[in-house]
Amino acid sequence: MKAFYNLTREQIFDELKTTEKGITEQEAKNRLEQYGYNEFREKKGKTTLQKFLDQFKDFLVIILIVAAIISGLVGEVADTVIILLVVILNAILGVIQENKAEESLNALKKMAAPLAHVIRDGKSKEIPARELVIGDIVVLEAGKYVPADLRLIETSNLKIEEAALTGESVPVDKNSDLLEENNIPIGDRKNMAFMSSMVTYGRGIGVVVQTGMNTEIGKIADMISKVEEEKTPLQEKLEEAGKWMGISALVICGLMFGIGVFEGREVFNMFMTSVSLAVAAIPEGLPAVVTIVLAVGVQKMIKKNAIVRKLPAVETLGCATVICSDKTGTLTQNKMTVKKIYTSNGFADDIVDAKKLFHIANLCNDTKVVEEKGKIKLLGDPTETALIDYSLNVSIDKRELDKIFERIDEIPFDSDRKLMTTFNKAEDKIEVNVKGAPDVLLSKCSYILEGDKIREINEDDIKRIKLANEEMAKEALRVLAFAFKTVDKINKDDAEKNLVFVGLVGMIDPPREEAKEAVKKCKTAGIKPVMITGDHKITAVAIAKELGILKEENEAITGAELENISQEELIEKVKNYSVYARVSPEHKVRIVEAWKANGQIVAMTGDGVNDAPALKKSNIGVAMGITGTDVSKEAADLILTDDNFATIVSAVEEGRTIYSNIRKSISFLLSCNIGEILTLFIATLFNWAEPLLPIHILWVNLVTDTFPALALGMELPENNVMQEPPRDPNEGFFSKGLGFRIILQGIFIGAATLFAFKYGERYSEEVARTMAFYTLSLSQLVHAFNVRYYNRSVIFNGMFSNKYLNYGVLVSLLIQMVVFITPLTRRIFKIELLNIEQIVVVAICSISILIAVEIAKLFRKKA
């Protein structure tokens, strides 16, 4: 079967078994049963239980659960309860965040076309859009959404904005003429109207040819559902770190157990020691800390107008190397704006030189000016509203002009004539006001307005006007010409002859001012901005140059040129292009895949349905909350509630800061755990008494360490966070010497703990264990300040500037003091009261970690 745009009106009626009077109600019911409702098939969402169970798939969490079970089997019930509480808390936090994101998303959803105006049985009526069926006759009016895919059979000055589908910002002129060519791109199917696009001007009648998932938008929605979700870099790194820690813990436990049994020690005691070591090796608070740090980052992003749908998504932006952005409404204002004015005196800087021009622009204009809650709202074609918006800014009010110069007749705009003409009363005369395409209108002009005088137009005038038109066209401006004449009576046949040329106006959908700064910051941060649009190449290049996205035109490529390039060739050349114009949804996915094949972390921003597959395919999809379609929001990881591209920069900065802070938190937790491992390992190796009990280790890991680790996750961004290039996505979590620093710091903590233990043995085993327990916990609290900076001295750089860390350390310290002074907790923890001398030794050992790390930083700096 031929495409619907290749069929005549009669062929359409025959094919779909309908007429201009529409189908009957009974036939509509039959077809509804046959084809289903005119809506998208929604993916079945996860239940709260499924979301909860998903939280337990992490390798580290599985190891923790195994440790809890082992602890329970050997009678350490307290250990089991505490570990399981932490794991469950982590899962609950994850579910709460997912549900919050879904609630926020649901609040943003808007129904595109709740009602449709149809003709059935020859009668006009409104029905719910979801009940439309193939063969229905739909009436389209300005301001209404197109409720299904239609083949137009009748139009009157019909213009439809298809930005959500094609990315083209300017409304498309539609007609009902037959199209002869085959395989015509969606943006050029002039006799078709597509679901979710908006009628901006005129009216039309069309036959429903596709509904629901079979519409052009439905096909895109289907493409999205087939894109598999990929893990974020943070998820991959944490999984890698979790496996490394888990396997290390098991190896160490096995080694320790083997050494003990080989030395002839009691098997059960060695098993208990090995379990203690396993508990020491795994940072029980890590999953909860990472989840909470991400959740805090998410709350910050909400305040900065961004909704994060998945916790790790905000961090992924931190390592983004490429941001592929839609043009319309994302980098631009999605609002046509007057940019240049030309009169016989040349390009005008002031409205004084163009008063007559805007007099015509207001009268020969169908824009409706309405006031809502004290604010002026303009309804109509974007090109026409741009003229009125500019006029209002220079104190020319269309409403006043319409009263004085009443419109008595008109010749509506016609895509063949490319002109619009109105007849307005002007005292005892009639003013003929005309606007239209410059080349067409200029051919109708015999005179030109020069200042306040009218004279005959000459060849030099025409040459200058054409040059001005070419200059504006090169800048991707949409140019309109204006002319007039005064007559005694209306004669439509002669109305558009012997006109007086007044001037030209150039308009464009301009870049957002904040987007220019955002692009600049992206480049400083080592991120490549790429524009992907359905608009024409000349427009895309002009906007991209103004934004600073490209310098030379050879950095731009069209969808048609992209069709002739294989995916292998695109992967090789993708770095050469900064602008992609006139592209389809499939092209966007290809571009994202090409960047990813080059090892890049790709963020894709957009608001249209056409962006959705690429949003889902990218490492992180960023949708617009206000202008964005439901489909794009569902596909995205991050939603900008203010539709502001500059918010991306805030998200990148927040993402980089979160990753840095998570590294600090993990560095702190692991160095503390290595200190615990060394303490137990060396004591076992030299056959010393047990310096720490399993409950001591568990308590330190879950209580003492957790508050400082969380506080480290709230460190403010460092000054140079947006001056550094993005981190290599293949870079290991413990790269740049972090692994070495963790081990070194762990050695310092272990040495201080063992020294305190051996010192306490002069009194008793209980005192020694108490001193080891408190040295371990307090040295870790002091060490929390060390990890705030990797290379800088913390003592001389605002040691106490992180108020959250101050509070976290203070809370942990108070909890430890309560355990120390309360008889019941002393019995549970099997510890003793210490005398002044012992407390001083514990304090000196605890503070020594700060001095040791400061000296290490000094040596590293000199090296």
Side-chain angles (χ1 to χ4, degrees):
M1 190 190 84
K2 284 186 177 180
F4 290 109
Y5 53 80
N6 292 142
L7 301 179
T8 64
R9 174 189 170 113
E10 290 70 28
Q11 286 172 322
I12 287 283
F13 285 159
D14 186 53
E15 181 72 34
L16 303 178
K17 296 181 175 55
T18 187
T19 68
E20 60 188 14
K21 290 183 179 180
I23 56 177
T24 64
E25 287 293 344
Q26 185 56 49
E27 181 61 24
K29 284 180 184 175
N30 295 341
R31 293 188 185 190
L32 195 60
E33 286 179 17
Q34 183 182 351
Y35 298 113
Y37 284 106
N38 177 37
E39 59 190 8
F40 298 151
R41 285 192 302 272
E42 286 199 9
K43 227 169 156 185
K44 193 178 177 184
K46 289 181 181 177
T47 64
T48 303
L49 179 62
Q50 284 173 322
K51 289 177 194 169
F52 183 75
L53 294 174
D54 280 349
Q55 311 297 319
F56 296 94
K57 291 179 179 177
D58 182 74
F59 185 79
L60 190 57
V61 172
I62 292 166
I63 292 284
L64 281 174
I65 292 169
V66 171
I69 292 166
I70 292 170
S71 297
L73 290 173
V74 297
E76 296 294 334
V77 179
D79 296 2
T80 302
V81 171
I82 294 171
I83 292 173
L84 290 178
L85 279 174
V86 169
V87 170
I88 290 165
L89 175 66
N90 177 58
I92 290 168
L93 284 168
V95 173
I96 288 170
Q97 180 53 40
E98 274 191 52
N99 287 340
K100 268 189 183 178
E102 281 181 17
E103 284 168 20
S104 301
L105 188 65
N106 290 335
L108 282 171
K109 281 188 176 182
K110 296 174 185 174
M111 289 187 74
L115 293 172
H117 183 178
V118 300
I119 297 169
R120 283 185 181 170
D121 287 326
K123 295 173 186 174
S124 180
K125 63 188 292 188
E126 280 195 331
I127 65 166
R130 70 191 293 266
E131 293 178 11
L132 278 175
V133 293
I134 290 171
D136 259 325
I137 305 296
V138 175
V139 178
L140 300 175
E141 295 162 319
K144 302 286 186 183
Y145 282 93
V146 178
D149 280 6
L150 313 175
R151 165 65 162 90
L152 298 169
I153 56 172
E154 190 180 308
T155 61
S156 176
N157 306 316
L158 183 64
K159 290 186 181 184
I160 297 178
E161 184 195 279
E162 297 177 340
L165 186 65
T166 65
E168 188 168 354
S169 55
V170 178
V172 181
D173 291 313
K174 294 289 185 176
N175 58 55
S176 57
D177 300 340
L178 178 72
L179 294 173
E180 301 283 357
E181 301 87 9
N182 296 319
N183 301 318
I184 299 173
I186 291 172
D188 297 323
R189 295 176 194 173
K190 305 293 185 186
N191 61 7
M192 298 288 293
F194 301 103
M195 188 176 183
S196 92
S197 53
M198 162 80 80
V199 180
T200 60
Y201 193 82
R203 65 190 301 278
I205 297 174
V207 186
V208 175
V209 294
Q210 295 290 3
T211 60
M213 294 301 286
N214 294 320
T215 61
E216 292 299 327
I217 283 184
K219 290 174 188 173
I220 294 171
D222 190 48
M223 282 171 61
I224 296 164
S225 66
K226 290 173 182 172
V227 176
E228 290 182 13
E229 288 193 14
E230 297 178 13
K231 286 181 180 172
T232 68
L234 179 66
Q235 286 172 319
E236 288 176 351
K237 297 302 174 196
L238 286 178
E239 195 171 285
E240 175 192 308
K243 283 180 181 176
W244 178 82
M245 285 183 276
I247 291 165
S248 299
L250 296 174
V251 169
I252 291 166
C253 290
L255 185 64
M256 284 297 296
F257 185 76
I259 289 170
V261 172
F262 180 74
E263 289 178 351
R265 297 185 193 182
E266 209 273 315
V267 174
F268 180 75
N269 285 343
M270 273 316 303
F271 182 74
M272 283 301 297
T273 304
S274 299
V275 169
S276 300
L277 209 60
V279 172
I282 299 170
E284 287 80 3
L286 179 59
V289 167
V290 171
T291 302
I292 292 167
V293 170
L294 285 170
V296 169
V298 166
Q299 293 308 309
K300 285 184 186 176
M301 288 310 303
I302 287 171
K303 289 175 185 173
K304 293 178 182 178
N305 302 308
I307 292 172
V308 179
R309 295 191 66 211
K310 295 166 190 172
L311 273 181
V314 68
E315 179 278 331
T316 313
L317 264 177
C319 60
T321 53
V322 180
I323 296 180
C324 297
S325 175
D326 185 42
K327 176 183 75 70
T328 307
T330 309
L331 291 165
T332 66
Q333 298 172 20
N334 200 16
K335 176 187 172 186
M336 291 299 283
T337 305
V338 172
K339 190 85 181 232
K340 281 194 172 181
I341 302 163
Y342 177 84
T343 66
S344 59
N345 296 327
F347 284 103
D349 297 320
D350 200 305
I351 191 68
V352 174
D353 299 329
K355 268 194 170 177
K356 184 63 179 175
L357 191 156
F358 279 92
H359 173 89
I360 301 165
N362 275 263
L363 295 174
C364 188
N365 195 310
D366 288 330
T367 298
K368 298 277 188 298
V369 183
V370 295
E371 273 195 51
E372 288 182 4
K373 296 177 183 177
K375 289 186 179 179
I376 288 177
K377 193 175 179 183
L378 304 178
L379 305 173
D381 179 81
T383 307
E384 290 196 328
T385 59
L387 295 167
I388 304 305
D389 188 46
Y390 183 86
S391 301
L392 287 168
N393 288 332
V394 292
S395 304
I396 298 174
D397 194 325
K398 174 175 170 59
R399 292 167 293 184
E400 296 300 320
L401 285 174
D402 284 342
K403 286 176 189 173
I404 301 165
F405 302 92
E406 184 189 345
R407 186 188 296 189
I408 50 178
D409 207 343
E410 66 181 287
I411 306 173
F413 175 83
D414 184 272
S415 54
D416 293 328
R417 284 172 39 252
K418 295 184 180 177
L419 296 173
M420 174 183 176
T421 301
T422 61
F423 301 91
N424 301 83
K425 276 187 182 178
E427 296 177 350
D428 57 340
K429 295 279 188 180
I430 295 170
E431 203 172 75
V432 181
N433 293 302
V434 189
K435 78 167 189 285
D439 54 338
V440 176
L441 189 59
L442 194 56
S443 68
K444 311 275 185 185
C445 293
S446 305
Y447 305 93
I448 188 168
L449 182 69
E450 192 170 62
D452 294 327
K453 294 178 183 176
I454 296 172
R455 64 169 175 81
E456 283 193 13
I457 198 165
N458 58 46
E459 286 300 318
D460 284 342
D461 295 324
I462 293 169
K463 190 177 179 181
R464 283 199 304 274
I465 293 164
K466 285 183 175 178
L467 280 171
N469 182 37
E470 284 173 20
E471 185 181 322
M472 286 194 270
K474 281 178 185 173
E475 292 176 32
L477 301 184
R478 191 178 192 198
V479 186
L480 283 179
F482 297 84
F484 81 105
K485 71 178 179 180
T486 306
V487 296
D488 295 315
K489 62 180 182 178
I490 296 173
N491 182 342
K492 290 188 178 182
D493 292 333
D494 294 328
E496 293 168 352
K497 295 175 184 175
N498 298 317
L499 296 169
V500 180
F501 180 84
V502 177
L504 305 171
V505 173
M507 290 164 280
I508 198 169
D509 177 12
R512 291 173 177 262
E513 282 303 314
E514 61 271 26
K516 292 181 186 178
E517 188 60 30
V519 168
K520 189 177 175 184
K521 281 187 179 178
C522 282
K523 287 194 164 185
T524 306
I527 301 164
K528 182 179 175 70
V530 176
M531 180 194 286
I532 305 178
T533 177
D535 221 332
H536 293 280
K537 186 176 180 179
I538 188 169
T539 309
V541 168
I543 295 290
K545 277 185 178 176
E546 197 171 340
L547 285 167
I549 289 176
L550 61 59
K551 290 180 182 176
E552 304 298 330
E553 279 194 40
N554 61 6
E555 293 175 52
I557 186 172
T558 65
E561 291 168 322
L562 204 58
E563 282 289 342
N564 297 321
I565 298 176
S566 67
Q567 190 63 14
E568 290 71 24
E569 197 178 343
L570 180 59
I571 290 168
E572 192 181 323
K573 293 182 176 179
V574 71
K575 292 179 182 177
N576 301 334
Y577 302 118
S578 300
V579 172
Y580 297 84
R582 215 72 180 143
V583 294
S584 69
E586 291 84 357
H587 293 147
K588 294 185 179 189
V589 174
R590 279 187 66 196
I591 294 160
V592 169
E593 286 177 336
W595 276 112
K596 286 172 75 175
N598 278 281
Q600 304 298 315
I601 299 295
V602 185
M604 168 76 187
T605 74
D607 58 357
V609 175
N610 61 326
D611 299 319
L615 284 175
K616 194 149 188 186
K617 188 67 184 174
S618 62
N619 297 98
I620 179 161
V622 185
M624 302 296 135
I626 299 170
T627 59
T629 57
D630 287 351
V631 178
S632 67
K633 289 172 198 169
E634 287 288 356
D637 302 291
L638 191 74
I639 299 166
L640 307 183
T641 57
D642 60 353
D643 283 17
N644 192 337
F645 181 80
T647 306
I648 291 288
V649 178
S650 300
V652 169
E653 186 174 355
E654 191 63 45
R656 289 186 175 191
T657 303
I658 282 173
Y659 186 77
S660 173
N661 289 351
I662 286 173
R663 279 187 104 208
K664 288 173 186 177
S665 296
I666 291 176
S667 169
F668 168 70
L669 289 170
L670 291 186
S671 54
C672 293
N673 283 37
I674 285 172
E676 295 160 18
I677 290 169
L678 285 172
T679 302
L680 287 173
F681 187 84
I682 290 170
T684 306
L685 203 61
F686 290 103
N687 204 16
W688 294 347
E690 208 170 10
L692 296 164
L693 299 175
I695 195 168
H696 295 160
I697 296 163
L698 203 56
W699 179 260
V700 169
N701 282 0
L702 297 181
V703 181
T704 314
D705 289 358
T706 302
F707 292 113
L710 283 173
L712 286 167
M714 296 183 199
E715 285 279 337
L716 292 173
E718 295 192 30
N719 296 332
N720 63 343
V721 70
M722 290 301 283
Q723 272 76 54
E724 294 180 354
R727 72 177 188 276
D728 183 346
N730 297 317
E731 183 182 280
F733 200 86
F734 302 101
S735 62
K736 295 178 181 174
L738 182 64
F740 174 75
R741 289 197 295 275
I742 288 170
I743 293 168
L744 185 65
Q745 290 159 8
I747 290 169
F748 292 153
I749 292 169
T753 304
L754 285 170
F755 179 85
F757 177 72
K758 295 309 285 181
Y759 186 91
E761 273 191 328
R762 299 191 318 180
Y763 300 94
S764 71
E765 194 175 301
E766 287 73 21
V767 167
R769 197 171 284 134
T770 304
M771 289 182 71
F773 176 44
Y774 274 89
T775 299
L776 178 69
S777 58
L778 298 182
S779 65
Q780 291 182 1
L781 294 181
V782 172
H783 179 53
F785 293 95
N786 280 326
V787 297
R788 288 190 63 202
Y789 307 120
Y790 292 131
N791 294 310
R792 288 190 293 157
S793 165
V794 72
I795 296 172
F796 302 108
N797 286 283
M799 183 168 175
F800 301 106
S801 58
N802 182 344
K803 64 179 181 181
Y804 299 108
L805 183 57
N806 300 338
Y807 295 145
V809 168
L810 188 61
V811 168
S812 294
L813 189 60
L814 288 172
I815 290 170
Q816 281 300 87
M817 289 305 103
V818 169
V819 171
F820 182 64
I821 63 175
T822 308
L824 176 63
T825 51
R826 284 206 304 273
R827 280 200 302 276
I828 292 170
F829 283 85
K830 298 174 185 172
I831 57 174
E832 297 285 329
L833 277 172
L834 302 178
N835 62 33
I836 297 297
E837 179 197 337
Q838 293 158 355
I839 290 170
V840 168
V841 171
V842 167
I844 291 169
C845 288
S846 301
I847 293 169
S848 68
I849 180 69
L850 180 67
I851 309 302
V853 172
E854 285 288 299
I855 292 168
K857 284 181 183 177
L858 191 65
F859 274 107
R860 193 160 58 245
K861 202 172 183 181
K862 285 183 178 178

